[in-house]
Amino acid sequence: MRRASLTCGYLLKIHEIYARHLMKNMTNTMLLLYVLFAFPLANASCDEGTVIASGKTGYPPISWRTPKGLGGLGYSVIEKILPNQSVERSTPLPWRRVLKMAEQGDIDIIVGIRETEERRKYLTFLPTPLMDVSQNIFYLRGSGIRSRNDLKGKAGGYISGTVFDPYFEEFAKNNLRLEGVSSLEQNLKKLARGRIQYLLSPLLPTIHYIKE
């Protein structure tokens, strides 16, 4: 990693792709390890039984799709916290469906989810996160992107269902052309093929897929 003397953060060079932190105070997102329902667990008591856990299919190291189903650090920690219960992982599902099933009571625990006012209506968020993360801008060499204003007029990508902080949501609504897809891999392919000029994505999962 090389530090850059830029007010908006650091610059990473990864295989021809650069990642820049969004402008200071723009989006400094905290990723919570997992959340529990405000009402009793759908499939078990607090001391015994089976709980259903789920998360994103492309969010390493917290939650991602493996040949055997969902895997990641988030699920390992849940199993340590709930040693007397059987933690069953759902089949890999689209993120929007995970949220809907949680709202309906068919999923008990979600790993790697950001707290929002809307989600607090049906989820209880634990105060201690596994790690803090922030959304980053990834773009190809020579794109001319140096600040958030350079994003205007360019096609950008993000994962459908991603929630940004209110400040960036307002900026994006008024200034950006964002195209949602179901996975980070899709966005990286679109970026490489020139179908989008940048993508908004968390740092660690994106580095993971770039290195693969």
Side-chain angles (χ1 to χ4, degrees):
M1 179 184 300
R2 64 187 178 94
R3 297 284 179 177
S5 57
L6 298 168
T7 58
C8 57
Y10 61 79
L11 193 64
L12 290 176
K13 182 179 180 183
I14 313 168
H15 300 315
E16 305 296 309
I17 295 181
Y18 291 84
R20 187 192 300 273
H21 269 302
L22 296 180
M23 296 297 289
K24 185 178 180 182
N25 299 324
M26 196 169 177
T27 172
N28 206 4
T29 305
M30 178 172 288
L31 172 67
L32 297 181
L33 169 61
Y34 62 89
V35 294
L36 299 180
F37 285 129
F39 41 87
L41 294 177
N43 299 289
S45 70
C46 292
D47 299 316
E48 60 183 10
T50 300
V51 297
I52 308 300
S54 192
K56 296 179 179 179
T57 57
Y59 209 97
I62 304 299
S63 174
W64 74 95
R65 185 195 301 265
T66 74
K68 296 182 179 181
L70 289 176
L73 180 61
Y75 304 102
S76 299
V77 173
I78 290 173
E79 290 167 355
K80 293 292 185 181
I81 292 175
L82 302 175
N84 298 324
Q85 292 179 271
S86 173
V87 178
E88 180 180 325
R89 305 175 193 185
S90 76
T91 57
L93 299 166
W95 181 236
R96 289 185 182 275
R97 190 180 303 175
V98 171
L99 295 176
K100 187 64 176 178
M101 290 179 66
E103 185 175 7
Q104 294 172 340
D106 296 321
I107 289 176
D108 299 310
I109 299 174
I110 303 179
V111 304
I113 182 172
R114 186 181 178 214
E115 183 175 0
T116 68
E117 182 177 350
E118 177 63 27
R119 292 170 182 172
R120 283 196 298 269
K121 295 177 181 178
Y122 58 94
L123 297 172
T124 295
F125 287 79
L126 300 185
T128 304
L130 179 63
M131 65 178 67
D132 294 341
V133 300
S134 60
Q135 293 289 332
N136 292 260
I137 304 170
F138 290 81
Y139 52 89
L140 296 177
R141 183 197 298 273
S143 66
I145 296 175
R146 293 294 179 269
S147 72
R148 63 176 183 176
N149 287 328
D150 295 328
L151 304 180
K152 298 177 181 179
K154 295 180 172 65
Y158 77 111
I159 297 176
S160 298
T162 299
V163 177
F164 304 101
D165 67 24
Y167 182 85
F168 185 72
E169 288 278 3
E170 185 67 19
F171 176 80
K173 179 181 178 180
N174 295 329
N175 299 282
L176 303 184
R177 294 191 294 117
L178 295 176
E179 303 173 5
V181 296
S182 61
S183 73
L184 176 55
E185 291 176 285
Q186 285 179 279
N187 265 336
L188 288 171
K189 290 178 180 178
K190 290 176 68 175
L191 181 64
R193 295 168 181 169
R195 293 174 57 190
I196 57 175
Q197 282 70 61
Y198 66 92
L199 65 91
L200 303 175
S201 179
L203 184 63
L204 291 180
T206 310
I207 290 176
H208 172 84
Y209 280 109
I210 289 173
K211 287 184 175 180
E212 281 194 334

